[in-house]
Amino acid sequence: MTSNHPSAGTFWKKLGLQFTALLAAFILIAWGAAAGYQSWKSRSVANEARAQFAKGDFRAAHGAAERALLEDPELLEAAEIAAESLDKLDSPGAVEAWARFAQLRQGNPDAAVKWARAALKWKRDTVALGALHTVPEVNRENAGYQLLLGDVLVAQERFQEAEPAYLKAVALAPANKSYVLQHAGTIAAHSDDPEKLKAAETALLSLGAQPDYRMAAHRALAALNIRRKDWPAALAANAVLLKSPETTADDRVQQLEILHQLGGPEFQTSLAAAQKNAREARETATIFAWMNRSGMAAEALQWAAGMEPRIARNPELARRIAESHMILKDWRNLRKQCDDLESWGPYEHLRSAYAARALRQMDDIINANHRWLAAVGAANSSRESTAELLKLATDWNWRDEVRDMLWDAANRIDARWALGKLADMYTTEGSTDGLLRVFTRKTELDPNDDVARNAMVRLSLLRDQSVESSLAQARMLAKRHPSEATFAATLALGELKGGRGIDAIAAFAKVASRHLGDPESAFYHGLALFAAGRESDAAIAFSIAQKRRLLPEETQLLPPAFRGTVTPPAR
C-alpha cells in the first residue's frame, strides 16, 4: 500500500526551499528599504543644498550638495547645485564641478556649454574647447555656441579661426548687437586687413551711440586707434570711458599711455593724479606695471618708497616692484624683494622665477636652479602660469629650461599648445632630431593625424632611420592623399633615398602645378627634377624654395651648385 505522506527527505527539501525563498524575500525587502532610505537621505540632503542656495549661503549649499553626491554620485540636482555654488563663490573648482555635471548629462548641450564657460573664465581654454567638442553637431548651429567657440579660439590666440565663428553667430542672430560687438572688437584688436578694420570701425561707431554698448564699443575703438598710433582719435574714444561711472583702472592707465605718446605737460599732471587717487593694491599695481613697460621703472620705485606698507607688501604690487629691480638689473635688491614676503599668493611661481634670475646673475647657480624648479612646481598644471614662466625663460635665453618646460607641459597640461611651440623652437634651431621627437609624439597622441605622421616619416627619412618602413608609410599616405603636395614630397624623398629619381618625379603626378608653389614642396620637387636630369626645371623649383629655411640634412641633399640659393637653417 502506497503512503500519501512525503518522505523525510522530501519534507526537509521542501522546507529548505521555503526557507531559502523566505530569506531571499527578506534580503530583497531589506535591500529595497536600505536603497529607499539611501535615496531618501541623499534627496533630503539635496533639498537642504537647494534651500541653502536659495538663501544665498553658497558655501553651505556646496557642502550639502557634496554630501548628497557621496550618498548618490549620480544625483543630477546635487551635481548642478555644487557647480552653481562654486560659480557663485568664484572658485576655480567650478570647472571640475561642471565637468562632473556634464558627464552625468552626456550629450546635453546646456551642460557642456556651462562647463566650457567655467573653463574659459578660469583661462583653461583647452578644457573649454574640449567641452564644446562634446556638444552634439545638431546643437552647434546656434549663435550662443558659435560666440563661445569664438571666445575660446581668441583665448588660444587662433584669431583667424575665431572670426568665422563670430560671423556665424552674427548671421544666426543678426538682431543681437552683442554678437556684432564681439566680432567687430576682435577684428579691431587683431586684424591687419584694411577693409575688415574699416568695417569693424563703422560697426563700433554705430554701437558706440547706443547706451547698452557705449562703453565696450569705445574701448574697442580706443584699442584700434592705439594700434594705428592715431593718438588724437584714441584720446577722443578714451575720453568717453573716463566720463562714465563704469570707468576702470585699465581705462585710466590707457589714458596715461595716450597722453605719454602725445607728450606735453598734461601727462605728468595726469600721472601724479593717477598715483594719488590709486587707493587699492590692484589699481596701484596696474599703474606700476604700465610705468615699468614705459621705461619709468626708477620713477616707479620712487613712488613705491612712499607707499603705505599694506599696499607695497600686497602680492600684486610686490611682483611689480620686483620687475622694476629686474629692469634696472639691480640683482641684489631683486633677490631681497623676492625673499621679503612669505608668499606672493597666486604669483608664487613668479617670485621663485625672479629669485632664480637674480641668483644666476650673482653666479649662485646651485640655488638659482633650485629656485627655478620651485617656480615650475608652483606653476603646477596651470597653462597660464606655465606660459608666464616660458616667456620669462625665453626672454632670458634660458633655452634648456624652455625645452624642459614645454615637454613637461606636453605631457601634463596641453599637448597641442606645447608641441606647437616646440615645433617652432626646433624649426628655428634647425634641429631635425627635435622635430622628429615632436611629430613622433603627435602621432602617438593621434594615430589618425596623417599630417603629423607625414612629417614624422619625412624627418625619419632625412635622418636615415627605418628607411624601408618609412618609405612604406610614405607610399600609404601618398595613396590616401594623392593630390596633396606635402604627401607627394615625402614620398619623393623616400624614392630618392632609394636612388629612384623617375619614381620621385612620379610621386608628384597627381599634384596640380599650382600646389607646387609652396616652398617646402618646391624643394623636394626640385630634388626629384634634378635626379631625373631636368636641371633647368630644378633651378626654377629651387628658386621658389628660397623662401624656406632648410634643415641641415636637407642642405646636404641640395646639389652643390644650388647650395647658395636656398636659406640655410637658423643658428
Side-chain angles (χ1 to χ4, degrees):
M1 183 174 178
T2 304
S3 173
N4 291 326
H5 295 286
S7 66
T10 304
F11 170 78
W12 288 111
K13 184 177 181 181
K14 284 185 176 180
L15 186 62
L17 289 171
Q18 290 171 350
F19 178 76
T20 302
L22 186 63
L23 181 62
F26 176 77
I27 290 171
L28 284 171
I29 291 169
W31 178 84
Y37 173 75
Q38 200 74 13
S39 175
W40 171 83
K41 184 179 177 183
S42 59
R43 291 190 179 281
S44 175
V45 180
N47 288 338
E48 178 192 339
R50 191 188 313 113
Q52 296 289 0
F53 189 91
K55 288 195 303 183
D57 190 344
F58 304 120
R59 198 170 298 281
H62 177 256
E66 289 294 341
R67 291 200 307 276
L69 288 166
L70 284 175
E71 301 290 344
D72 182 358
E74 296 188 1
L75 193 59
L76 277 172
E77 183 183 17
E80 187 170 20
I81 291 172
E84 287 180 344
S85 298
L86 289 173
D87 261 349
K88 294 290 188 181
L89 291 167
D90 204 27
S91 166
V95 180
E96 279 68 33
W98 282 118
R100 175 174 59 188
F101 180 68
Q103 286 162 4
L104 289 174
R105 299 199 67 190
Q106 275 190 348
N108 182 281
D110 291 337
V113 163
K114 287 177 179 178
W115 177 19
R117 283 206 182 102
L120 182 61
K121 175 183 176 180
W122 291 103
K123 299 183 179 179
R124 295 175 61 182
D125 45 89
T126 302
V127 173
L129 191 59
L132 288 178
H133 284 162
T134 68
V135 174
E137 290 282 350
V138 69
N139 298 115
R140 296 183 186 184
E141 292 301 306
N142 70 75
Y145 174 90
Q146 294 297 329
L147 183 75
L148 185 55
L149 175 61
D151 290 345
V152 172
L153 292 170
V154 165
Q156 293 193 325
E157 298 183 2
R158 296 160 65 181
F159 306 117
Q160 289 185 337
E161 295 172 70
E163 187 185 349
Y166 287 138
L167 275 173
K168 188 175 282 190
V170 172
L172 289 166
N176 192 323
K177 300 300 182 185
S178 63
Y179 297 165
V180 177
L181 175 65
Q182 195 78 347
H183 177 234
T186 301
I187 294 295
H190 304 293
S191 179
D192 292 317
D193 185 316
E195 290 187 12
K196 289 181 180 179
L197 287 171
K198 186 176 180 181
E201 184 176 27
T202 300
L204 291 170
L205 286 168
S206 174
L207 290 166
Q210 302 178 39
D212 289 346
Y213 306 105
R214 183 179 178 82
M215 293 293 284
H218 279 87
R219 281 196 183 99
L221 283 166
L224 172 59
N225 285 308
I226 287 172
R227 284 185 72 210
R228 291 171 168 168
K229 300 190 186 307
D230 185 346
W231 304 111
L235 187 65
N238 211 60
V240 176
L241 306 177
L242 297 181
K243 291 174 185 175
S244 169
E246 298 173 33
T247 188
T248 67
D250 287 334
D251 298 332
R252 291 188 284 276
V253 167
Q254 188 163 264
Q255 181 78 352
L256 291 176
E257 171 65 17
I258 296 166
L259 292 173
H260 188 231
Q261 293 294 336
L262 285 169
E266 191 178 352
F267 164 68
Q268 288 296 342
T269 304
S270 296
L271 176 58
Q275 291 174 336
K276 181 179 178 180
N277 295 327
R279 301 295 183 190
E280 297 301 322
R282 180 164 295 181
E283 181 159 3
T284 303
T286 302
I287 297 168
F288 214 97
W290 175 79
M291 292 181 73
N292 281 340
R293 290 194 306 271
S294 303
M296 291 182 278
E299 292 89 335
L301 287 174
Q302 288 175 0
W303 178 32
M307 286 180 188
E308 296 177 37
R310 71 175 183 88
I311 298 290
R313 294 177 66 82
N314 182 282
E316 287 198 62
L317 191 60
R319 64 174 287 204
R320 301 303 180 188
I321 293 173
E323 287 171 4
S324 298
H325 289 307
M326 191 159 54
I327 290 167
L328 297 172
K329 296 182 168 48
D330 185 351
W331 308 119
R332 292 193 181 280
N333 277 318
L334 173 58
R335 182 183 177 185
K336 183 177 181 298
Q337 174 69 13
C338 293
D339 292 339
D340 193 37
L341 296 177
E342 280 188 18
S343 171
W344 283 7
Y347 311 112
E348 189 63 19
H349 60 295
L350 296 178
R351 179 168 84 133
S352 293
Y354 294 158
R357 176 73 193 276
L359 288 162
R360 188 170 291 194
Q361 292 297 137
M362 296 164 68
D363 293 325
D364 189 348
I365 304 302
I366 293 174
N367 282 318
N369 291 342
H370 175 74
R371 293 302 293 268
W372 179 255
L373 289 175
V376 174
N380 199 6
S381 59
S382 164
R383 176 175 150 177
E384 181 188 24
S385 298
T386 300
E388 285 182 306
L389 292 185
L390 282 169
K391 185 179 186 310
L392 290 176
T394 301
D395 291 345
W396 300 339
N397 201 31
W398 291 9
R399 301 190 72 80
D400 290 342
E401 285 79 0
V402 170
R403 273 189 289 271
D404 290 345
M405 282 193 72
L406 283 171
W407 278 113
D408 183 57
N411 293 325
R412 294 191 307 109
I413 302 174
D414 185 340
R416 180 188 176 279
W417 167 72
L419 291 171
K421 287 193 170 294
L422 280 164
D424 291 342
M425 185 176 184
Y426 287 131
T427 299
T428 300
E429 294 177 351
S431 172
T432 309
D433 286 338
L435 286 168
L436 178 55
R437 185 182 171 196
V438 166
F439 285 102
T440 299
R441 181 65 179 141
K442 281 192 170 189
T443 304
E444 290 169 352
L445 291 170
D446 184 0
N448 296 319
D449 186 345
D450 282 357
V451 173
R453 184 172 295 278
N454 182 62
M456 179 191 73
V457 168
R458 186 185 302 173
L459 292 160
S460 297
L461 288 167
L462 285 171
R463 296 293 289 137
D464 292 320
Q465 294 181 6
S466 308
V467 174
E468 290 303 317
S469 170
S470 296
L471 178 57
Q473 289 191 71
R475 286 172 175 162
M476 177 269 291
L477 290 166
K479 185 177 181 180
R480 194 180 293 171
H481 305 275
S483 62
E484 295 186 39
T486 186
F487 294 95
T490 301
L491 177 56
L493 174 61
E495 300 294 4
L496 288 169
K497 287 284 182 177
R500 296 177 292 274
I502 299 300
D503 290 337
I505 288 286
F508 293 96
K510 295 185 179 180
V511 178
S513 58
R514 67 180 182 276
H515 295 316
L516 294 175
D518 170 65
E520 179 184 86
S521 303
F523 173 75
Y524 286 99
H525 191 219
L527 292 179
L529 291 166
F530 187 86
R534 295 166 56 183
E535 293 189 21
S536 58
D537 292 333
I540 296 171
F542 288 140
S543 69
I544 296 171
Q546 286 181 27
K547 299 174 184 177
R548 177 174 179 260
R549 289 190 178 276
L550 297 184
L551 294 168
E553 292 80 2
E554 291 175 321
T555 302
Q556 291 302 312
L557 292 174
L558 260 180
F562 294 99
R563 286 189 185 172
T565 65
V566 184
T567 309
R571 289 298 183 192

